[in-house]
Amino acid sequence: MSRRGMAARNQRSEALSKDRIVEAAIALLDAGGAQALTFRALAARLETGSGAIYWHVADKNELLAAATDHVVARVIADIADEADPRAAIRAVALAMFDAIDAHPWAGPQLFREPWRSSMPLIFERVGAPLMALGLTGRRLLDSASALVHYILGVAGQNAANPRLAPQDVDREAFLAHVAAQWMQLDPEAYPFVHQTALQMRDHDDRAQFLFGIDLILAGITR
Amino acid sequence: MSRRGMAARNQRSEALSKDRIVEAAIALLDAGGAQALTFRALAARLETGSGAIYWHVADKNELLAAATDHVVARVIADIADEADPRAAIRAVALAMFDAIDAHPWAGPQLFREPWRSSMPLIFERVGAPLMALGLTGRRLLDSASALVHYILGVAGQNAANPRLAPQDVDREAFLAHVAAQWMQLDPEAYPFVHQTALQMRDHDDRAQFLFGIDLILAGITR
DNA sequence: AGGTGGATTGGAACGGCGTTCCATTCATGT
DNA sequence: ACATGAATGGAACGCCGTTCCAATCCACCT
């Protein structure tokens, strides 16, 4: 922590640091999912011992939170500025959707300890355009909250879906399987599910997600 | 599985069964959260060995899914019928909200393997009233999907919050702590968060949740 | 009534995990 | 040069999910 410590860290060859650890953790998570992040695998990749990692990181929770923050912060920062508030909200929503699609392990983490992680960043990017739309007070907070909950809800849900093959082959087979299951349900007890099963098979996650955003925006601004 | 097997199960004193196991699992989960459910604790409570449990349950995933299904199915079945479609949707939403508030461990599980669990049940209870509102086709499916995602998003988020003390004392201290953190952020970089931090401290989760439902309903029916 | 064999049990054992512990090494101020 | 605290890395601990298997049970057959 002192000047001394920081100087030492820079001169030891390939010294450990929280940044290097988080970077390696993200690489492991992206490559093999949540279960691929273990302190042993991490130590092997960093060519050190598991004990050394604990000098820089309190525990696995903190490591996962830091990895998620890292990913979310970068994605949020990369969002292009939009003049129209509605477009700005759509941009944030899509950015989060794509981020969790690319890093599915981050979805559950955003639920586990929401207050700790980059939640304020997300709330800000959703809430600021709502202020520009003229919302204030309780309605402002509640509307932002609805949008953020919806965004994270869809993102978390999608993260649970099996990983997509490059050719989308697995995805189609998977959706067909679920649709078949839904259609086997009793049409009298499950009229809605039975009827919409086919459309479910062909639906586009991204488009459906955006439809929901527009639904909420319509409710907010009507 | 044969007639023989079922008869045997009934006559062995306190014979194991998937139902008894799931019941005990729910008790453990409610008492100590997700981390309290271990096969050793389960075996101790059922006065048997961990190996015996595997005869009735494939693995921990299936056990968690069964426990979640059990809770969700009961809650869904208990919902009073509502004539007004909007009221029916609000009733389902509140039922799910309260269910996950009472059994926070079920929140993450509904995200992990959505297609396997009681998802069709939830979709049906949300989608049927939408059909009564005259929605059809893609708009019907996408609207139901938005509602379900929102409901589960909020529920999952709330499940992550620390358990409430009987007197709501811990909750207030917790919200005050988060609000204080939010207010410490730079007002120029975080105008929205900084401004709404105080209302966040006093907000009512349930009311905020219902506000979001009404927002989506307004978007759907306008 | 007694034996038989599949259904069921329960406890030991295995490998892997997060975490702790601690002897050792390193970079620096004196 | 040496002393000192920061940092390292590998062994060890306790717990987990899961597997394995000898022992037990019980519906059925003879």
Side-chain angles (χ1 to χ4, degrees):
Chain A
M1 290 307 171
S2 64
R3 253 177 295 134
R4 212 161 124 205
M6 296 182 62
R9 191 184 307 160
N10 288 337
Q11 283 171 13
R12 181 115 76 174
S13 70
E14 302 197 1
L16 276 182
S17 69
K18 188 164 177 178
D19 279 346
R20 275 193 68 218
I21 293 173
V22 169
E23 202 177 336
I26 293 177
L28 285 176
L29 288 164
D30 284 344
Q35 63 175 344
L37 177 62
T38 71
F39 277 82
R40 283 166 176 81
L42 203 52
R45 173 179 265 261
L46 292 168
E47 293 177 328
T48 180
S50 48
I53 298 175
Y54 278 89
W55 185 261
H56 302 274
V57 168
D59 54 16
K60 197 177 181 180
N61 261 346
E62 186 188 313
L63 184 54
L64 262 169
T68 304
D69 279 6
H70 192 90
V71 165
V72 170
R74 180 164 43 192
V75 163
I76 294 270
D78 281 353
I79 299 172
D81 282 335
E82 300 273 355
D84 176 38
R86 269 168 270 252
I89 288 176
R90 284 195 201 93
V92 182
L94 273 183
M96 288 300 300
F97 182 91
D98 291 339
I100 299 191
D101 191 59
H103 310 282
W105 47 268
Q109 176 56 28
L110 282 169
F111 283 86
R112 203 177 315 281
E113 297 181 333
W115 60 91
R116 163 200 283 214
S117 64
S118 38
M119 203 57 99
L121 218 57
I122 303 174
F123 257 97
E124 185 61 39
R125 297 294 295 227
V126 168
L130 291 179
M131 291 174 68
L133 283 175
L135 293 184
T136 58
R138 177 110 302 162
R139 189 174 172 84
L140 168 62
L141 174 60
D142 288 356
S143 300
S145 178
L147 279 166
V148 170
H149 282 316
Y150 173 74
I151 291 170
L152 294 184
V154 180
Q157 201 86 299
N158 266 47
N161 288 348
R163 296 321 307 140
L164 308 165
Q167 309 292 349
D168 286 344
V169 160
D170 288 345
R171 176 193 150 83
E172 283 188 19
F174 167 73
L175 283 180
H177 174 78
V178 174
Q181 275 191 328
W182 281 34
M183 263 189 296
Q184 278 177 4
L185 293 172
D186 177 11
E188 299 205 1
Y190 293 85
F192 167 82
V193 170
H194 192 79
Q195 185 172 327
T196 50
L198 279 179
Q199 299 168 37
M200 148 83 76
R201 200 185 53 193
D202 301 322
H203 87 275
D204 173 6
D205 285 332
R206 244 175 96 102
Q208 198 174 65
F209 171 66
L210 264 188
F211 178 86
I213 293 287
D214 288 338
L215 225 47
I216 300 179
L217 284 177
I220 291 176
T221 61
R222 80 164 181 174
Chain B
M1 291 309 169
S2 64
R3 253 177 295 136
R4 214 162 123 203
M6 296 180 63
R9 191 185 306 158
N10 287 338
Q11 283 173 15
R12 180 115 79 177
S13 71
E14 302 198 359
L16 275 182
S17 70
K18 188 163 177 179
D19 278 346
R20 275 194 68 217
I21 294 173
V22 169
E23 201 176 336
I26 293 177
L28 285 176
L29 288 163
D30 284 345
Q35 62 175 346
L37 177 62
T38 71
F39 277 82
R40 282 168 177 80
L42 204 49
R45 172 177 265 261
L46 292 168
E47 293 178 329
T48 179
S50 48
I53 298 175
Y54 277 89
W55 183 261
H56 301 273
V57 168
D59 54 16
K60 196 176 180 177
N61 263 345
E62 186 189 313
L63 184 55
L64 262 170
T68 304
D69 279 7
H70 192 90
V71 166
V72 170
R74 180 165 42 190
V75 163
I76 294 270
D78 281 353
I79 301 173
D81 282 335
E82 299 273 356
D84 176 37
R86 270 168 270 252
I89 289 175
R90 282 193 202 95
V92 181
L94 273 184
M96 288 300 301
F97 182 91
D98 292 338
I100 300 190
D101 191 58
H103 311 281
W105 46 268
Q109 176 57 26
L110 282 170
F111 282 86
R112 204 179 315 283
E113 298 179 334
W115 60 91
R116 164 198 285 212
S117 64
S118 38
M119 204 55 105
L121 218 57
I122 304 173
F123 257 97
E124 184 61 38
R125 297 293 296 225
V126 168
L130 291 179
M131 291 173 68
L133 283 175
L135 294 184
T136 58
R138 176 111 302 160
R139 190 173 171 83
L140 169 61
L141 174 61
D142 288 357
S143 299
S145 178
L147 279 167
V148 170
H149 282 316
Y150 173 75
I151 291 170
L152 295 184
V154 180
Q157 200 86 299
N158 266 46
N161 288 348
R163 298 318 310 138
L164 307 165
Q167 310 292 349
D168 287 344
V169 160
D170 288 344
R171 175 194 151 84
E172 282 189 19
F174 167 72
L175 282 181
H177 174 79
V178 174
Q181 275 190 329
W182 280 34
M183 263 189 296
Q184 279 176 3
L185 294 171
D186 177 12
E188 299 206 0
Y190 293 85
F192 167 82
V193 171
H194 192 79
Q195 185 171 328
T196 50
L198 277 180
Q199 300 168 37
M200 148 83 75
R201 199 185 54 192
D202 302 321
H203 87 274
D204 172 9
D205 284 332
R206 245 174 95 102
Q208 198 174 64
F209 171 65
L210 263 188
F211 179 86
I213 292 287
D214 287 338
L215 226 46
I216 300 179
L217 283 177
I220 290 176
T221 61
R222 79 163 180 174

